[in-house]
Amino acid sequence: MPHIQLPEGLPGIVSAFAFRPETAQPLRALAEVLLRGPSTLTRGEREMIAAFVSTRNDCYFCQTSHRAAAAHHLGGDYELVDAVRFDYPNAPVSAKLKALLGIAGKVQQGGKNVTAEDVARARSQGATDLEIHDTVLIAAAFCMYNRYVDGLATFAPTDPQLYDEMGARMAHEGYIRVAEPTMAGGR
Amino acid sequence: MPHIQLPEGLPGIVSAFAFRPETAQPLRALAEVLLRGPSTLTRGEREMIAAFVSTRNDCYFCQTSHRAAAAHHLGGDYELVDAVRFDYPNAPVSAKLKALLGIAGKVQQGGKNVTAEDVARARSQGATDLEIHDTVLIAAAFCMYNRYVDGLATFAPTDPQLYDEMGARMAHEGYIRVAEPTMAGGR
């Protein structure tokens, strides 16, 4: 049961967004620019970083929904996303993405863990400063989203089909809503 | 030295904002609504929560600048802010704020640490659902800002006078900028 009276019938962060539309707006806008905005990292790569960090933070709702979003960008390849989530050094992804996932894993533990060597390794695999920046910020942002979702004990559905559909919407329609779903709960 | 080529001469998160104005906009908007928007928590209370979480995350730039912002909302009372940062159970603040700081400290460690008892305690001291929500989100957001600032190894000045002036601007002018400072560095 959520710690506060969130609108019922909405999953995870969506219920918190409906409870507080004033903060939902920048939180949705940040996800949109980071995960779907113009970038030399593919949308699939960025969603994999988000799913990876959410997995490390053990946030069921976020890891499961962003896993699905990543898979929808990657032709339905859930296997690849799970390889990245659980064992990225041996996953069939580029050396550049592995180096960026290494940085994301450090950020998840705390920003100071990122070393000049981590960054040099990413750069030697072709990562640009902007790609390194966005990796750090995606990892940092999911340390926020994950804590937000779990810190309020939001409702997390367990039906895999529901997450697959949610991931398709996240991948193809994005994170911006013109209006939040109507608030059912009180505040 | 920063890990990537950030614009020179700008401190901490401001250099990262100038490097990537597309993400700066929602990041600034989120801080503005959480720390300065309409709320039954005072701006001083909210800045103290931000300074407290940034202290726990050991982010020098964020804890020092938000400490100053909090003090500027509290008539210059740096002593009170430091009491909250380092020993809030014994600080001369309300029982409600102490209960909210307890929740913020749990969120800093991870969202799942927040218990129904933590929330019941805050509620019994008069905290509303919206105040509990905002406390969780402020704490979560500073787990992001702190990681962003340190994950890029941004430049942190050490001159206390500079932070006092920065805190005054944060407190009285806020977090929104119509335009980011001109980018001096490359990307």
Side-chain angles (χ1 to χ4, degrees):
Chain A
M1 219 184 82
H3 287 317
I4 61 175
Q5 200 176 339
L6 298 173
E8 282 174 37
L10 297 174
I13 203 163
V14 182
S15 66
F17 285 169
F19 179 81
R20 185 72 151 117
E22 301 86 351
T23 48
Q25 196 277 328
L27 291 170
R28 286 188 176 282
L30 180 65
E32 181 70 16
V33 62
L34 277 176
L35 300 176
R36 297 182 80 251
S39 170
T40 49
L41 296 173
T42 69
R43 289 176 173 179
E45 287 172 327
R46 288 177 278 164
E47 287 285 359
M48 284 198 283
I49 296 171
F52 166 72
V53 171
S54 301
T55 302
R56 291 278 174 106
N57 279 328
D58 194 26
C59 180
Y60 182 82
F61 177 78
C62 296
Q63 70 183 281
T64 311
S65 56
H66 288 279
R67 166 184 183 263
H72 277 278
H73 284 304
L74 299 164
D77 195 346
Y78 277 100
E79 203 176 326
L80 176 61
V81 183
D82 287 345
V84 163
R85 284 169 67 217
F86 297 116
D87 185 22
Y88 77 84
N90 295 308
V93 296
S94 70
K96 182 178 87 173
L97 184 57
K98 287 182 190 185
L100 293 174
L101 287 162
I103 291 173
K106 295 285 190 83
V107 171
Q108 187 266 334
Q109 292 289 312
K112 284 186 209 299
N113 294 298
V114 179
T115 65
E117 291 67 38
D118 296 326
V119 174
R121 188 175 307 119
R123 212 173 263 129
S124 77
Q125 299 297 345
T128 65
D129 273 16
L130 191 54
E131 290 172 344
I132 294 165
H133 169 279
D134 282 11
T135 297
V136 168
L137 186 51
I138 291 168
F142 278 83
C143 288
M144 169 180 67
Y145 294 124
N146 299 162
R147 281 169 170 76
Y148 185 38
V149 163
D150 283 336
L152 294 174
T154 61
F155 164 65
T158 52
D159 178 4
Q161 178 65 24
L162 192 148
Y163 284 99
D164 186 70
E165 292 164 7
M166 201 186 314
R169 285 196 303 275
M170 291 157 70
H172 303 306
E173 298 170 25
Y175 295 98
I176 306 287
R177 293 288 175 278
V178 283
E180 295 299 329
T182 307
M183 257 180 63
R187 53 202 290 182
Chain B
M1 221 184 81
H3 287 318
I4 61 175
Q5 200 176 338
L6 298 173
E8 282 174 37
L10 297 173
I13 203 163
V14 182
S15 66
F17 284 168
F19 179 81
R20 186 74 151 114
E22 300 86 352
T23 47
Q25 197 276 329
L27 290 170
R28 285 187 177 282
L30 180 64
E32 182 70 15
V33 63
L34 277 177
L35 301 176
R36 298 182 80 251
S39 171
T40 48
L41 295 174
T42 69
R43 289 177 172 178
E45 286 173 328
R46 288 177 277 164
E47 286 286 359
M48 284 198 285
I49 296 170
F52 166 71
V53 171
S54 301
T55 301
R56 290 277 174 105
N57 279 327
D58 194 26
C59 180
Y60 182 82
F61 177 78
C62 296
Q63 70 182 280
T64 312
S65 56
H66 287 279
R67 166 183 184 263
H72 277 278
H73 285 304
L74 299 164
D77 196 346
Y78 277 99
E79 203 176 326
L80 176 61
V81 183
D82 287 343
V84 164
R85 285 167 68 216
F86 298 116
D87 185 23
Y88 77 83
N90 294 307
V93 296
S94 70
K96 181 179 87 174
L97 183 57
K98 286 183 191 185
L100 293 174
L101 287 161
I103 291 173
K106 295 284 189 83
V107 171
Q108 187 266 332
Q109 292 288 312
K112 284 186 211 297
N113 294 296
V114 179
T115 65
E117 290 69 35
D118 296 325
V119 174
R121 189 174 307 119
R123 212 173 263 130
S124 77
Q125 298 297 345
T128 65
D129 273 15
L130 190 55
E131 290 173 343
I132 293 164
H133 169 280
D134 283 10
T135 297
V136 168
L137 186 50
I138 290 169
F142 278 82
C143 288
M144 168 180 68
Y145 294 124
N146 299 163
R147 280 168 170 78
Y148 185 38
V149 162
D150 283 337
L152 294 174
T154 60
F155 164 65
T158 53
D159 179 4
Q161 177 66 24
L162 193 148
Y163 284 98
D164 186 69
E165 292 164 7
M166 202 187 311
R169 285 196 302 275
M170 292 156 70
H172 303 306
E173 297 169 25
Y175 295 97
I176 306 288
R177 294 286 175 278
V178 283
E180 294 299 328
T182 308
M183 256 179 62
R187 53 200 290 180

